[in-house]
Amino acid sequence: MVFFVYSMFAFHPGLADGQIHATVSVAMHFAESVIYVFSFFFVLYSMGSFLKTRKKEFGILVMHGMTSMQLRRLVFMENIVIGFGATIAGIAIGLGFAQILLMSAHKLLSLDAALPFYFPAKAILLTGAAFMVLFILISLFTVTVLRNNSLIDLLKGSNKPKPEPKASTVLSWFALLLILGGYTAALLAKGMAVFYAMIPVTVAVIIGTYFLFTQLSVYAVHKSRQSRSIFWRKTNIVLFSDLAYRMKDNARTFFMVAILSTVAFSAIGSLFGFKFMYTDVIRDENPFPLNYIAYDEPYKEDARMIEQALKEAGLSYRAHELTVKSVETSGGKQVPVIAESAFNKLVGAAKGNKADLEGDEAAIVHYASAMMAARQPELTPVTLKEPALTLKPVQTIDTPAIQAGEDYYVVTDEHFNQIKQYANITYKYAFDVSASHAALKKVGQELDSKLSSSKNRFMSVDYELYKQDQIFGVVLFVGFFIGIVFFVGAGSFLYFRLYMDLGEDKRKFQAIHKIGLTDRELSSILTKQLMILFFAPIVVAVIHGAIALAALQNMFMYNLMRPSLTVLGSFVLIQLVYFLFIRTKYISNVKSAWGLHLT
């Protein structure tokens, strides 16, 4: 269904033209590729799990005369029928929700116009052909599971006695060391150091996670069984009796679920975090909605064009003009210089700190954006070459109102007017407009089309955010659905493992019931067991994801706490609902073996 939805958007005729629309189409095809590869391994695993639970059934068929070729043909045809039904159902559900998805995409992708409904013939053909090929290939793979099994192996199924699971003390502590070491390195790294530490930290945490489930979990269960206060408490003897077997049997599944869930958490959390970040950064660094920068000449005509557009749109505004001269110092360095009165007028409109100067005094203006570490410039005197003037900085100001280089100087109007020779001159126009985002976006879009060919620079904050939202909306739309697919897949892997153990649990608890296990005690044991098996990889994934997002926060010097908590909290809530549903269904199936009602 998800593959079909992406195909429907990729082939939509409304996305045929325009750079943004082309980006949407390419992104959807990329998402299709990711979903297709994931689907192959997911369906292969699920079908293999279902076949293992039916080995006894296959053994009975073989005992009654079914040949090996007939058995493989039976399994092959069953898989094809299931695959055909799943493909048709996915396309049908996708078509059923098509109109809602197209309407929601208009908002999510920040498109100029709503996407009309159309009959997605190409998407249907692509989805049908792609998934029938997928199911044929998987059917050929799965029949090989039965090829080398003898009759006795089939009849015994999963009832073979299992060896006592063992865990290495060295590898258990090694797992803990790798994970804690990776966490420490990720949290201590700052700035670009996070980027360089990313690969070694990721490798260390992945290896540590593997040994966590294959060694440390079994080691912890064995230690718990050695403690009389834990093992002999109430029904814990039943809970812990085969928990080590379960942890060992499910170790690879847990590892895969933890890694998949971590990828989903990190990807979607990063996407939400980046959206908050770039919106805040653009707003913080540009306090005025409209800005125009002219080089070498004032270009008053362009400034008047902007004012005329604001008047025609019926928007009230205040225009501010400022000149920046780049002057050479005695040391051969060029420094930007601004007049005090023009600076104070502009920075006052942005509600910033003003300069207060006399004589040769100067103010150094430095703006540390949200993406940079704060730094205080040194108040070191600087001598201009022409005129021969020594500026004595007496104050520092941090404001985004005027961005004229990393550090620039504000001088008195008298000294500014004395500067007749300069390397270059820049004219800045800022328009303080009170209007809605939609109105400012519309004006900015009109002006951008008129002024984009100029060698000068025009910027509309709201139109820039609109363009970024279009690009980011595509990434968010694609990433969200891929994350959901990974997340649902992770939960389903756990369900498959429970499904494979259902028959054994029925027999075990039926026997224990005969010696006095009550209905309430059974529910308590199964709930605790399911919680451990279900939430162990999810808790690990949440911690991994939280550390990864914290590292990103250190890298970009931006607080990603709110989007991170939103994403992690949403996934935990979904997983909790999923757990309650699985718990109810699983306990009901176990109790059905001996006629008890669910409590």
Side-chain angles (χ1 to χ4, degrees):
M1 183 194 73
V2 178
F3 183 92
F4 173 73
V5 167
Y6 282 130
S7 299
M8 186 174 62
F9 281 108
F11 291 115
H12 198 289
L15 300 177
D17 302 319
Q19 183 177 357
I20 297 296
H21 292 178
T23 304
V24 174
S25 182
V26 171
M28 296 304 167
H29 283 304
F30 169 77
E32 286 177 332
S33 304
V34 174
I35 296 300
Y36 192 74
V37 173
F38 178 80
S39 297
F40 179 85
F41 292 103
F42 176 78
V43 177
L44 180 64
Y45 180 86
S46 62
M47 293 227 174
S49 299
F50 293 144
L51 284 179
K52 288 178 182 178
T53 64
R54 299 175 60 198
K55 281 188 174 182
K56 189 173 182 179
E57 173 193 337
F58 295 149
I60 294 174
L61 292 174
V62 171
M63 190 170 63
H64 281 76
M66 178 175 279
T67 65
S68 178
M69 180 60 72
Q70 287 175 326
L71 179 60
R72 291 200 296 270
R73 188 183 301 129
L74 170 67
V75 173
F76 180 85
M77 293 306 298
E78 283 180 351
N79 289 347
I80 292 298
V81 171
I82 292 172
F84 181 77
T87 304
I88 296 299
I91 293 173
I93 296 172
L95 281 173
F97 288 98
Q99 187 63 37
I100 298 174
L101 291 169
L102 289 171
M103 291 173 62
S104 62
H106 169 53
K107 294 291 184 182
L108 293 173
L109 302 178
S110 299
L111 300 175
D112 295 321
L115 294 173
F117 178 78
Y118 80 111
F119 185 74
K122 291 182 179 178
I124 292 174
L125 290 174
L126 176 62
T127 305
F131 275 87
M132 286 314 299
V133 170
L134 181 144
F135 277 102
I136 289 173
L137 290 175
I138 287 175
S139 299
L140 293 174
F141 274 110
T142 53
V143 295
T144 60
V145 174
L146 306 172
R147 177 173 297 173
N148 298 321
N149 286 295
S150 63
L151 177 59
I152 190 66
D153 290 334
L154 292 174
L155 288 174
K156 285 185 176 180
S158 59
N159 295 327
K160 298 177 182 179
K162 300 176 183 177
E164 173 73 17
K166 297 180 181 179
S168 168
T169 304
V170 174
L171 289 178
S172 298
W173 285 104
F174 181 59
L176 200 59
L177 181 65
L178 281 176
I179 293 175
L180 293 179
Y183 286 174
T184 303
L187 293 176
L188 292 180
K190 303 291 183 183
M192 288 306 296
V194 177
F195 177 78
Y196 297 116
M198 187 179 299
I199 293 179
V201 166
T202 302
V203 172
V205 170
I206 288 176
I207 296 173
T209 304
Y210 179 79
F211 287 125
L212 168 69
F213 290 118
T214 58
Q215 302 295 328
L216 184 57
S217 62
V218 179
Y219 178 79
V221 172
H222 282 319
K223 285 295 182 182
S224 300
R225 292 173 64 175
Q226 293 173 9
S227 172
R228 294 180 64 88
S229 61
I230 297 176
F231 189 61
W232 292 92
R233 180 179 174 82
K234 295 184 179 181
T235 56
N236 282 355
I237 188 171
V238 179
L239 174 64
F240 285 99
S241 61
D242 67 343
L243 188 58
Y245 291 94
R246 289 291 183 93
M247 298 302 291
K248 194 74 171 181
D249 290 345
N250 297 324
R252 291 183 181 179
T253 302
F254 288 168
F255 168 71
M256 188 160 45
V257 168
I259 298 303
L260 282 176
S261 299
T262 300
V263 171
F265 292 155
S266 303
I268 299 179
S270 300
L271 291 172
F272 272 98
F274 290 152
K275 179 175 176 60
F276 280 99
M277 183 175 67
Y278 83 74
T279 300
D280 290 345
V281 167
I282 291 179
R283 290 288 188 192
D284 291 342
E285 294 188 354
N286 299 277
F288 299 104
L290 300 177
N291 298 275
Y292 182 72
I293 301 176
Y295 302 98
D296 300 330
E297 297 179 25
Y299 286 92
K300 294 285 187 180
E301 297 79 6
D302 290 348
R304 283 194 288 269
M305 182 190 299
I306 297 173
E307 294 191 45
Q308 184 62 31
L310 291 171
K311 290 177 182 177
E312 291 177 356
L315 304 180
S316 59
Y317 68 93
R318 293 183 63 183
H320 303 279
E321 182 179 347
L322 179 138
T323 303
V324 182
K325 296 177 181 178
S326 185
V327 186
E328 187 175 353
T329 65
S330 58
K333 181 182 177 181
Q334 292 184 5
V335 295
V337 178
I338 297 176
E340 179 184 9
S341 61
F343 173 83
N344 286 343
K345 182 181 177 183
L346 194 61
V347 80
K351 297 180 175 58
N353 296 324
K354 297 182 180 180
D356 185 13
L357 308 173
E358 292 180 358
D360 295 342
E361 294 178 346
I364 300 179
V365 182
H366 169 76
Y367 174 58
S369 70
M371 304 290 291
M372 299 169 58
R375 174 183 65 83
Q376 286 296 326
E378 297 180 1
L379 299 178
T380 305
V382 61
T383 302
L384 303 182
K385 189 174 181 179
E386 181 64 35
L389 176 67
T390 299
L391 302 178
K392 301 175 182 178
V394 294
Q395 67 178 122
T396 60
I397 301 174
D398 184 6
T399 177
I402 307 163
Q403 297 177 34
E406 186 176 358
D407 293 327
Y408 59 90
Y409 291 80
V410 179
V411 299
T412 61
D413 290 11
E414 180 183 355
H415 285 325
F416 184 80
N417 293 329
Q418 291 176 4
I419 300 174
K420 303 299 182 182
Q421 294 187 5
Y422 39 80
N424 56 68
I425 187 168
T426 304
Y427 302 90
K428 296 179 178 287
Y429 302 89
F431 299 87
D432 192 3
V433 189
S434 299
S436 65
H437 169 71
L440 288 169
K441 188 270 293 184
K442 183 178 180 182
V443 171
Q445 188 172 8
E446 294 174 356
L447 290 170
D448 186 76
S449 62
K450 296 176 182 178
L451 299 174
S452 59
S453 59
S454 171
K455 70 175 183 177
N456 301 320
R457 180 173 175 264
F458 169 76
M459 179 182 179
S460 166
V461 173
D462 293 87
Y463 181 54
E464 190 67 27
L465 285 174
Y466 165 75
K467 291 192 294 183
Q468 293 296 325
D469 282 342
Q470 281 197 312
I471 296 173
F472 196 88
V474 176
V475 178
L476 193 60
F477 186 80
V478 171
F480 181 76
F481 274 98
I482 290 179
I484 290 295
V485 168
F486 277 22
F487 191 71
V488 172
S492 297
F493 285 136
L494 294 173
Y495 174 76
F496 296 148
R497 291 300 310 181
L498 292 174
Y499 181 84
M500 292 174 64
D501 296 331
L502 181 60
E504 183 180 346
D505 278 350
K506 283 184 177 181
R507 290 187 294 272
K508 179 180 69 177
F509 286 108
Q510 188 175 22
I512 300 175
H513 171 63
K514 293 178 180 178
I515 59 175
L517 184 70
T518 66
D519 184 21
R520 185 177 297 276
E521 287 172 336
L522 171 67
S523 297
S524 174
I525 293 170
L526 285 176
T527 299
K528 292 176 183 177
Q529 181 175 286
L530 290 176
M531 284 185 68
I532 294 173
L533 298 177
F534 209 83
F535 285 106
I538 300 302
V539 169
V540 171
V542 168
I543 297 174
H544 284 356
I547 297 297
L549 293 173
L552 281 176
Q553 179 172 304
N554 292 337
M555 181 176 181
F556 293 104
M557 302 297 179
Y558 182 83
N559 188 358
L560 296 173
M561 186 63 67
R562 184 176 62 170
S564 300
L565 290 178
T566 301
V567 171
L568 294 177
S570 300
F571 274 115
V572 170
L573 181 61
I574 294 172
Q575 196 71 8
L576 180 61
V577 173
Y578 194 18
F579 164 74
L580 293 175
F581 172 76
I582 295 299
R583 171 198 172 274
T584 303
K585 187 175 179 63
Y586 194 77
I587 294 178
S588 177
N589 282 330
V590 171
K591 291 182 178 181
S592 66
W594 29 293
L596 285 179
H597 298 288
L598 178 65
T599 59

